[in-house]
Amino acid sequence: MSSQNNVSNCTSTALPLSSEKTSLLNQPRAVWAVGFACVIAFMGLGLVDPILPAIGKQLNASYSQVSLLFTSYNAVMAIAMLFTGFISSRLGIKGTLLTGIVIIAIFSALGGMSSGIWELIGLRGGWGLGNALFVATALTAIVSLSKSGVAQAIILYEAAIGLGISIGPLLGGELGAIHWSGPFFGVAALMVIAFLSLFIMMPKAPKKSPEAAAHKTNILDPFRAMKHRALVVYGLTACLYNFGFFTLMAYAPFVLGLEEHGLGYVFLGWGLLLAITSVFMAPKLQKKFGTNKSMMIMLILFGLDLLAMGIWTSTQWLVIAAVVFAGALLGNNNTLITTAVMNAAPVERSTASAAYSFLRFIGGAIAPFVAGKLGETFNSHVPFVVGGAFVMMSVIFLALNQKHLKHIDLAASH
């Protein structure tokens, strides 16, 4: 479908980030229940980051082997994303969220009990399956249940992610200082809390009409959604910039030369900036420059940030500052691109999210292992330079495909 056709299908629901009249805080109880669970779930991602060097030392694993903890996680998540709509349309939103939480809890606890790097890599894949069910469904739940519209709901979702990611490293650093397995058990415990809060606070879904009950998402729907060029453009853009994102996440801990507590504080700063900018700065950027131009500005700055890390890798304070600053850039970009994806194609939002997430997590699966191998084969400067180059490629790709994205900024301007 052409971008012109997309305009007529999307402008009725596409809203600028800053145009909502209903307060962001005026939400149903169910939205807050899912948001709270999102905070706890995303604490799990940040919990692990400060212990990557410790895992390598204590399990006698190389950088590239440890980076496979991200690769298996993201690879399974990318594939599983294609089936989340199929599953949630049968289990329901609440059932799918709870199932995802249970899977995360089980595999994170088993990961804490593992005795070898390859066993841990496999268990992280199981964790990715649970995360796929939870993440894709949580976004759909918040957007569909929110009273303040799509754009504000996405801001709330991104804020929950940022808050969870920022708190996670701090807790992970504390638990990791005791033993590398501590954060894995910490995630399992947090998932129990998330399960109980969601089970108690989120109401049962109302009974559907016979027509709605008969509608089930087809397993092929995400593939069919990819016929819409705008959705594919955003997915491949995210795939490319995720090379830089996961290079930073998976490789930066190895060059910072900090122990678990120090790494926890660095990624705390990163996460706080991510949360703050996703809520307060992204709407202003969209209003001033438009969605696509704002994304390109953020991605250019992120590419330069990674290049600086690649040039001055041995300058600790600069790398720390670059990691923290990257949080601001990624917070803005995540909110902007997620909002754009929700309005990119005339398909159900859960289907659009599944197709987009499949494409973006492919980059997240490949990048960590490539970064580890480049560091081992050449030196610690190369992974960041290559990651920055992929981010710059995402800017070029986005710029070359603007004709397919005109309806996004057109809709946001109304």
Side-chain angles (χ1 to χ4, degrees):
M1 180 177 286
S2 67
S3 60
Q4 287 77 12
N5 289 338
N6 280 344
V7 174
S8 61
N9 287 283
C10 296
T11 52
S12 61
T13 57
L15 295 169
L17 292 174
S18 56
S19 70
E20 309 293 351
K21 295 182 180 179
T22 305
S23 170
L24 177 67
L25 300 179
N26 183 20
Q27 302 292 349
R29 178 183 170 194
V31 171
W32 291 116
V34 177
F36 177 69
C38 281
V39 172
I40 295 177
F42 279 93
M43 284 176 69
L45 179 63
L47 271 169
V48 178
D49 224 44
I51 60 167
L52 294 179
I55 290 175
K57 291 176 183 177
Q58 296 184 38
L59 295 184
N60 195 27
S62 65
Y63 289 176
S64 59
Q65 287 175 326
V66 174
S67 69
L68 286 172
L69 294 173
F70 284 97
T71 293
S72 63
Y73 175 83
N74 285 325
V76 172
M77 188 153 52
I79 296 170
M81 282 291 182
L82 295 171
F83 307 101
T84 53
F86 176 83
I87 294 170
S88 65
S89 67
R90 286 153 177 81
L91 294 181
I93 289 178
K94 185 173 182 178
T96 307
L97 289 171
L98 293 176
T99 300
I101 288 173
V102 169
I103 293 173
I104 294 171
I106 291 172
F107 280 96
S108 59
L110 290 174
M113 293 184 281
S114 62
S115 56
I117 187 63
W118 293 108
E119 180 184 357
L120 189 57
I121 289 167
L123 292 169
R124 274 284 283 180
W127 188 339
L129 171 62
N131 217 54
L133 291 173
F134 180 85
V135 170
T137 312
L139 175 58
T140 303
I142 289 179
V143 169
S144 61
L145 296 171
S146 173
K147 293 170 61 177
S148 58
V150 178
Q152 293 281 44
I154 290 171
I155 290 174
L156 185 64
Y157 173 77
E158 293 293 342
I161 291 175
L163 187 60
I165 288 177
S166 62
I167 298 172
L170 191 63
L171 184 58
E174 297 297 322
L175 294 174
I178 300 171
H179 191 267
W180 71 264
S181 61
F184 286 87
F185 292 122
V187 169
L190 288 171
M191 289 300 103
V192 172
I193 298 173
F195 181 93
L196 292 174
S197 67
L198 204 60
F199 184 80
I200 295 169
M201 294 174 63
M202 188 174 182
K204 292 182 179 179
K207 288 187 178 181
K208 298 180 180 179
S209 65
E211 294 80 8
H215 175 72
K216 295 285 193 298
T217 301
N218 191 291
I219 204 166
L220 297 177
D221 283 352
F223 295 99
R224 296 188 182 116
M226 292 184 203
K227 71 181 180 181
H228 301 289
R229 290 294 295 273
L231 188 59
V232 174
V233 168
Y234 286 128
L236 292 178
T237 297
C239 177
L240 291 170
Y241 89 71
N242 261 352
F243 269 81
F245 176 82
F246 280 98
T247 294
L248 184 146
M249 288 289 288
Y251 198 74
F254 293 109
V255 304
L256 285 171
L258 298 171
E259 39 74 51
E260 291 83 357
H261 291 291
L263 287 171
Y265 287 121
V266 170
F267 282 94
L268 169 66
W270 175 83
L272 284 174
L273 278 185
L274 188 147
I276 292 168
T277 54
S278 66
V279 175
F280 298 107
M281 189 173 176
K284 294 180 180 179
L285 286 174
Q286 188 204 43
K287 184 177 181 180
K288 186 172 181 63
F289 301 107
T291 303
N292 296 308
K293 187 178 291 185
S294 297
M295 274 194 282
M296 286 191 280
I297 293 170
M298 291 299 105
L299 291 173
I300 289 170
L301 292 174
F302 182 43
L304 293 174
D305 190 55
L306 286 169
L307 181 60
M309 293 173 68
I311 295 173
W312 293 286
T313 310
S314 57
T315 307
Q316 187 187 55
W317 71 266
L318 190 144
V319 177
I320 290 173
V323 169
V324 174
F325 180 59
L329 305 175
L330 293 166
N332 283 312
N333 191 70
N334 288 350
T335 296
L336 291 164
I337 198 168
T338 303
T339 305
V341 166
M342 290 294 99
N343 299 298
V347 298
E348 290 185 2
R349 292 191 176 104
S350 59
T351 300
S353 177
Y356 162 74
S357 296
F358 166 71
L359 293 172
R360 70 168 171 149
F361 282 116
I362 290 175
I366 299 171
F369 180 71
V370 170
K373 275 297 181 185
L374 288 172
E376 291 171 0
T377 305
F378 300 101
N379 55 59
S380 58
H381 300 263
V382 175
F384 298 111
V385 174
V386 172
F390 271 98
V391 174
M392 290 302 187
M393 286 170 58
S394 75
V395 178
I396 296 171
F397 180 75
L398 194 61
L400 291 176
N401 285 277
Q402 284 298 295
K403 65 180 179 180
H404 303 296
L405 310 176
K406 291 179 180 178
H407 64 286
I408 299 296
D409 282 325
L410 179 63
S413 65
H414 293 335

